[in-house]
Amino acid sequence: MEEPAAYGKLGLANLLEMREECLREFQFVDAYRSIKQRENEASLAVLPDLLMELDSLDEETRLLTLIEGVLAANIFDWGSRACVDLYHKGTIIEIYRMSRNKMQRPWRVDDFDVFKERMLGTGDKKKPPHKRALLFVDNSGADIVLGMLPLARELLRRGTEVVLVANSLPALNDVTAMELPDIVAEAAKHCDTLRRAAEAGGLLVDAMINSSHSSKGQSSSVPLMVVENGCGSPCIDLRQVSSELAAAAKDADLIILEGMGRALHTNLNARFKCDALKLAMVKNQRLAEKLIKGNIYDCICKYEPS
């Protein structure tokens, strides 16, 4: 506080990281663990119904519903005061449904139509599916289970390899790379696409769901993989990532950054050599005014072709 510039320019990313380091120093290694487990279980219970709903939609409506689902589920953030207040008023599923019902386009930043054109373009404009997508995931619970996993499933169905990129160490209620294989294994019980992809990506080795399935069509699926990013903060500095992530990024032609920490506080203006989609719900009034001249709970769907 005496010398704010002692370590160079001080931003929110530094403060968030410092907070986690202080907690770890005093043995609070994963302060939100029980909350994360509870929210994962509640979300997994309603996932089969969501997948059935998605499968009943035509391709165009489904893609919009998936992006809406990611934005709506991004409301589950224990790093936001406004969101924590919401949790005292309703269950995880009630809040998710309310959030989804309020999704009105156009969003504050809305490049969905350009993204849709790249994904579903018709005739001469139809491009082959992406080869590999890196999905930088954010919170546990509805955010990963009802938001990002269904989007990953859609990409897998289109023949795109999917790499779920998650934190190496716990921070707030963010999902970690260690926790993801169990979540994927549970979700895979309700979905053949996820099961085959998880097997192909080596995620179900420890949690083989049903060995009789394992030989069937294993090689025909594109893989679903999990990679740790080398971070223990809600934000991410892409100059400092794990070698594992750097290697996985070599073949990527689509990056999806999700959540305030990774798509707003950091990387909002970062330009990539491949297609990039930045998805977030803004859960802080001051930030909404400053960054997008909008209001709390406004959404960002920013698509930047390579």
Side-chain angles (χ1 to χ4, degrees), residues 7 9 33 54 68 101 119 121 142 149 160 162-163 165 190 204 217 243 255 261:
Y7 295 94
K9 195 174 174 186
R33 189 154 150 207
L54 288 166
E68 284 179 345
N101 292 338
M119 294 291 281
L149 271 186
T160 302
V162 174
V163 182
V165 184
H190 311 294
L204 295 188
S243 51
I255 284 181

Side-chain angles (χ1 to χ4, degrees), residues 13 136 231 234-241 255-272 276-279 291 300 302 304:
F136 287 79
C231 302
C235 300
I236 188 166
D237 180 345
L238 293 170
R239 296 167 301 183
Q240 300 175 333
V241 297
I255 284 181
I256 300 180
L257 288 158
E258 184 239 354
M260 276 201 339
R262 293 165 193 84
L264 285 184
H265 290 309
T266 48
N267 305 305
L268 180 64
N269 302 316
R271 295 306 305 261
F272 296 92
L277 180 66
K278 299 165 186 179
L279 300 168
L291 278 186
I300 286 174
K302 187 176 183 182
E304 297 160 330

Side-chain angles (χ1 to χ4, degrees), residues 27-186:
Q27 312 307 315
F28 291 98
V29 180
D30 191 356
Y32 291 82
R33 189 154 150 207
S34 58
I35 288 171
K36 291 194 291 184
Q37 285 171 338
R38 192 170 69 232
E39 294 192 352
N40 285 338
E41 283 165 18
S43 304
L44 284 160
V46 295
L47 179 65
D49 290 343
L50 175 64
L51 297 182
M52 270 173 58
E53 179 197 330
L54 288 166
D55 290 345
S56 69
L57 304 170
D58 65 81
E59 206 175 28
E60 200 168 310
T61 314
R62 188 166 69 236
L63 187 63
L64 176 60
T65 307
L66 283 162
I67 298 298
E68 284 179 345
V70 170
L71 292 170
N74 193 232
I75 198 168
F76 293 95
D77 185 347
W78 284 83
S80 159
R81 176 76 253 171
C83 295
V84 174
D85 290 342
L86 272 182
Y87 304 150
H88 299 312
K89 300 186 180 109
T91 68
I92 182 170
I93 303 313
E94 287 166 355
I95 296 165
Y96 171 69
R97 291 216 176 98
M98 172 211 76
S99 183
R100 238 182 91 179
N101 292 338
K102 285 188 174 171
M103 282 288 135
Q104 295 289 315
R105 287 188 69 201
W107 299 310
R108 195 71 192 129
V109 176
D110 193 335
D111 297 334
F112 174 76
D113 293 334
V114 191
F115 177 64
K116 181 181 77 179
E117 189 59 39
R118 167 61 186 92
M119 294 291 281
L120 310 177
T122 48
D124 299 341
K125 290 185 177 173
K126 196 163 178 70
K127 291 185 177 175
H130 291 98
K131 203 167 78 181
R132 174 180 286 183
L134 298 184
L135 273 58
F136 287 79
V137 298
D138 189 11
N139 305 297
S140 294
D143 200 356
I144 178 70
V145 176
L146 306 179
M148 290 299 268
L149 271 186
L151 180 59
R153 172 181 181 251
E154 185 69 17
L155 290 164
L156 290 163
R157 275 178 161 180
R158 301 173 59 78
T160 302
E161 290 183 4
V162 174
V163 182
L164 299 174
V165 184
N167 271 8
S168 301
L169 295 169
L172 293 171
N173 64 320
D174 289 6
V175 69
T176 66
M178 283 278 287
E179 293 159 349
L180 270 177
D182 287 343
I183 294 171
V184 170
E186 277 303 310

Side-chain angles (χ1 to χ4, degrees), residues 12-13 16 74 77 79-80 108 235 259-266 268 280-298 300:
L12 191 68
L16 288 167
N74 193 232
D77 185 347
S80 159
R108 195 71 192 129
C235 300
M260 276 201 339
R262 293 165 193 84
L264 285 184
H265 290 309
T266 48
L268 180 64
M281 179 187 278
V282 191
K283 292 160 298 231
N284 175 298
Q285 182 61 33
R286 193 187 68 84
L287 194 70
E289 289 166 10
K290 194 174 168 206
L291 278 186
I292 56 170
K293 298 184 171 53
N295 289 305
I296 192 166
Y297 304 129
D298 276 351
I300 286 174

